[in-house]
């Protein structure tokens, strides 16, 4: 599904019911799958629009840039610098989704660490 899905009030209620059923079946569904389903159903139950996008194991530079929320030229620069591994298919670069997601996780962790350091500094200065 690539088109956003905005639930009606009855669909949001049905999502709440399904979420409760999923949570009552703890251990019967693999943890990673249960987490994804709980997040999806939770968003729908709150009446939020959701969009599910499927990706192949190998993605284009544009898809990788979209995932990382950066421009394609910046992503190509990262690839050329060796930050992100890739392979060439004809003139095109293909990146492994796993590598892009690992890079994103590292960036998110660095950002979280920097944000925590900033918060600690502000608290130490009495500006919290």
């Amino acid at each position: 599904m690539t088109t956003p899905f905005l639930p009606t009030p009855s669909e949001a209620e049905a999502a709440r019911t399904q979420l409760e059923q999923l949570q009552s079946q703890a251990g019967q569904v693999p943890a990673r799958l249960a987490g994804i389903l709980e997040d999806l159903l939770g968003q729908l139950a709150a009446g939020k629009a959701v969009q599910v996008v499927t990706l192949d194991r190998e993605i284009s530079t544009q898809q990788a840039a979209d995932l990382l929320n950066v421009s394609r030229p910046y992503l190509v620069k990262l690839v050329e610098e060796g930050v992100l591994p890739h392979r060439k298919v004809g003139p095109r670069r293909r990146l492994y989704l796993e590598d892009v997601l690992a890079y994103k996780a590292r960036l998110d962790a660095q950002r979280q660490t920097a944000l925590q350091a900033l918060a600690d500094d502000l608290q130490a200065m009495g500006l919290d």
Side-chain angles (χ1 to χ4, degrees):
M1 167 195 320
T2 56
T3 304
F5 175 78
L6 181 61
T8 64
S10 64
E11 290 167 335
E13 183 58 38
R16 271 189 285 285
T17 303
Q18 291 299 315
L19 180 58
E20 290 169 5
Q21 287 179 1
L22 178 64
Q23 290 169 337
S24 71
Q25 297 173 347
Q28 295 180 5
V29 177
R32 285 184 59 194
L33 179 57
I36 291 169
L37 292 172
E38 284 180 9
D39 187 39
L40 177 65
L41 290 170
Q43 298 298 324
L44 290 170
K48 294 183 179 178
V50 297
Q51 184 173 355
V52 177
V53 179
T54 59
L55 296 170
D56 293 321
R57 290 193 179 275
E58 287 187 344
I59 58 177
S60 68
T61 53
Q62 184 61 59
Q63 289 171 310
D66 291 345
L67 268 175
L68 296 174
N69 201 26
V70 298
S71 69
R72 195 188 70 73
Y74 178 75
L75 183 108
V76 169
K77 179 181 166 213
L78 292 175
V79 168
E80 289 173 350
E81 291 174 351
V83 175
L84 284 169
H86 72 287
R87 72 181 188 102
K88 292 277 251 185
V89 177
R92 310 255 185 234
R93 294 176 182 93
R94 302 294 291 171
L95 293 87
Y96 287 103
L97 178 60
E98 183 177 336
D99 293 334
V100 175
L101 294 177
Y103 178 75
K104 183 177 183 341
R106 286 192 307 273
L107 281 182
D108 290 345
Q110 289 172 352
R111 288 179 184 137
Q112 187 61 39
T113 300
L115 187 59
Q116 187 59 52
L118 179 61
D120 292 345
D121 290 346
L122 289 174
Q123 192 171 25
M125 294 168 55
L127 300 174
D128 55 346

